């Protein structure tokens, strides 16, 4: 049976790696990406659907497939408005999960974050925790949640402070072991590969992978 994957957030650090993997690997026959504007990439398996996330009625019928990958997310710097931030990190991923459930998707893969906690006091980690809980409640047969630590990879925009932290983590990583190992930095490509490998399995249920576990999966 032909397999179709859908990606939201395919231009991001993890999403861009995931897109390349899905196009290169033979398991998926079709890859649909949800975009605000088309990206300069062509491939026989690739379809680009330009959407406005706030108008689900315009694209919900086209949202079909086997596995949906949500790599949506923002940062404090890019989205200082907390209302907008929550919409990107919670509302849109949840909306996609609800549509995926309605349209018979078998899997949903969510990029969350280390420290996600629905009962937390920090707005950002609490939002991540609420997103995880609300998506889990949709009842999609297989829900995979990935909680990466500090992400390493080439970004389109310049982030001097991030480069500094990246260098610092190379020194700190060897000191983080045991229960602290999950706080080691992780390559975005590693997260993407783990997502792909979990998607080709037939497991059902809710699965949460901390950063150290993600490395083992890839």
């Amino acid at each position: 049976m032909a397999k179709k994957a859908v990606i939201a957030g395919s231009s991001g650090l993890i999403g861009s790696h995931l897109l390349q993997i899905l196009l290169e690997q033979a398991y998926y026959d079709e890859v649909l990406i949800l975009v605000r504007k088309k990206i300069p990439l062509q491939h026989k398996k690739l379809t680009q659907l330009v959407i406005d996330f706030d108008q689900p009625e315009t694209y919900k019928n086209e949202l079909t497939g086997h596995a949906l990958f949500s790599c949506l997310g923002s940062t404090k710097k890019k989205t200082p408005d907390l209302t907008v931030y929550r919409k990107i990190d919670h509302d849109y991923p949840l909306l996609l999960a609800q549509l995926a459930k309605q349209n018979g998707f078998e899997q949903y893969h969510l990029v969350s974050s280390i420290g996600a906690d629905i009962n937390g006091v920090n707005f950002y980690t609490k939002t991540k925790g609420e997103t995880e809980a609300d998506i889990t409640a949709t009842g999609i047969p297989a829900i995979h949640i990935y909680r990466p630590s500090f992400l390493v990879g080439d970004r389109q925009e310049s982030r001097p402070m991030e480069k500094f932290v990246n260098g610092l983590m190379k020194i700190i990583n060897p000191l983080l072991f045991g229960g602290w190992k999950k706080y080691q930095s992780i390559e975005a490509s590693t997260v993407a590969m783990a997502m792909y490998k979990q998607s080709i399995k037939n497991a059902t249920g809710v699965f949460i992978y901390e950063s150290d576990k993600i490395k083992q999966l890839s």
Side-chain angles (χ1 to χ4, degrees):
M1 182 180 295
K3 295 290 186 181
K4 176 182 175 183
V6 178
I7 309 176
S10 58
S11 61
L13 190 56
I14 294 175
S16 58
H17 283 288
L18 178 62
L19 175 57
Q20 288 299 321
I21 293 170
L22 297 185
L23 293 177
E24 292 169 0
Q25 299 296 326
Y27 184 80
Y28 288 100
D29 304 280
E30 182 181 352
V31 179
L32 171 67
I33 59 174
L34 308 178
V35 297
R36 289 190 173 90
K37 62 180 180 179
K38 288 192 175 183
I39 62 174
L41 176 65
Q42 293 185 333
H43 191 283
K44 62 182 180 180
K45 290 166 51 173
L46 178 64
T47 301
Q48 301 192 43
L49 180 62
V50 178
I51 68 167
D52 178 346
F53 283 99
D54 290 315
Q55 298 183 27
E57 67 281 355
T58 64
Y59 61 86
K60 64 180 181 180
N61 293 334
E62 298 184 64
L63 199 66
T64 60
H66 170 70
L68 195 153
F69 299 88
S70 176
C71 303
L72 296 170
S74 189
T75 63
K76 300 178 188 179
K77 184 177 181 180
K78 289 175 64 176
T79 314
D81 186 320
L82 297 186
T83 300
V84 177
Y85 180 94
R86 181 176 175 81
K87 180 177 285 191
I88 296 171
D89 261 51
H90 173 274
D91 298 354
Y92 293 160
L94 176 58
L95 172 60
L96 292 176
Q98 293 168 336
L99 295 177
K101 173 61 176 178
Q102 292 174 21
N103 293 350
F105 276 77
E106 296 177 25
Q107 300 180 8
Y108 189 98
H109 297 258
L110 172 71
V111 176
S112 183
S113 173
I114 193 166
D117 182 3
I118 193 173
N119 297 312
V121 295
N122 177 278
F123 171 81
Y124 299 97
T125 55
K126 181 179 175 64
T127 298
K128 294 289 188 183
E130 291 173 344
T131 303
E132 292 182 3
D134 291 342
I135 288 175
T136 297
T138 61
I140 296 170
I143 295 175
H144 299 264
I145 297 170
Y146 305 82
R147 294 176 175 173
S149 182
F150 179 79
L151 288 171
V152 178
D154 294 327
R155 296 183 185 271
Q156 294 180 350
E157 69 271 27
S158 175
R159 293 187 181 182
M161 179 56 68
E162 192 168 280
K163 291 181 179 179
F164 170 76
V165 176
N166 184 20
L168 184 63
M169 290 303 297
K170 290 181 180 179
I171 300 173
I172 296 176
N173 280 341
L175 305 177
L176 300 173
F177 53 88
W180 293 91
K181 197 172 183 178
K182 65 182 180 180
Y183 294 102
Q184 293 180 356
S185 59
I186 184 170
E187 293 279 351
S189 57
T190 298
V191 181
M193 182 57 73
M195 296 174 76
Y196 165 70
K197 287 188 174 180
Q198 293 309 102
S199 78
I200 64 177
K201 299 178 180 179
N202 294 319
T204 58
V206 179
F207 307 89
I208 298 177
Y209 313 106
E210 301 289 351
S211 211
D212 53 337
K213 178 62 175 178
I214 294 173
K215 292 180 181 179
Q216 296 174 15
L217 297 175
S218 64

